[in-house]
Amino acid sequence: RKAGFLSGGEQQMLTIARALMTNPEFILLDEPTEGLAPMIVGILEEQIARLRESNMTVLLAEQNLEVALRLSDRGHIIDNGVIRYHGTRGELQNNQEIWSRYLSV
């Protein structure tokens, strides 16, 4: 099928596959889970984890906090174009001030 007729999840996977055809050492994924059904998010998350396991560097810009934390070693909080926080996943998960200021509703 033509790419324009694929589902959102299929389009996202096609985009990643096209990027991987060049055998990159690094890949930037900008909100790859946006608008996807939870089942497709899970499949995509598994594939991103496999990329990391193959020693590929993955830069993930993601608003789905649960997915981002599961896939990340380090986190950066960007607010109005300014990095307000950076640290390891564990440091981020344990920083109550950052959680209350930027990550909770």
Side-chain angles (χ1 to χ4, degrees):
R1 290 188 279 167
K2 291 185 177 183
F5 294 101
L6 298 174
S7 72
E10 291 169 329
Q11 287 181 19
Q12 193 66 275
M13 287 187 220
L14 176 61
T15 300
I16 293 170
R18 288 180 63 202
L20 294 175
M21 289 177 62
T22 64
N23 293 319
E25 295 177 18
F26 172 90
I27 189 166
L28 166 63
L29 300 174
D30 185 15
E31 297 191 28
T33 66
E34 182 180 19
L36 300 181
M39 183 178 81
I40 301 302
V41 169
I43 293 168
L44 186 59
E45 185 179 344
E46 289 173 12
Q47 297 309 312
I48 294 169
R50 288 179 64 195
L51 292 175
R52 289 187 61 234
E53 290 166 5
S54 71
N55 291 321
M56 179 176 291
T57 300
V58 177
L59 177 59
L60 180 66
E62 181 61 68
Q63 290 189 26
N64 183 330
L65 184 59
E66 292 176 5
V67 169
L69 287 173
R70 284 193 297 265
L71 291 172
S72 300
D73 296 320
R74 301 191 56 76
H76 292 73
I77 304 295
I78 302 173
D79 180 39
N80 291 323
V82 177
I83 297 175
R84 305 291 181 178
Y85 175 84
H86 62 91
T88 67
R89 175 181 46 206
E91 291 167 345
L92 176 60
Q93 288 174 312
N94 293 319
N95 190 319
Q96 294 304 313
E97 179 183 345
I98 294 299
W99 275 89
S100 64
R101 183 176 292 168
Y102 299 107
L103 302 174
S104 58
V105 181

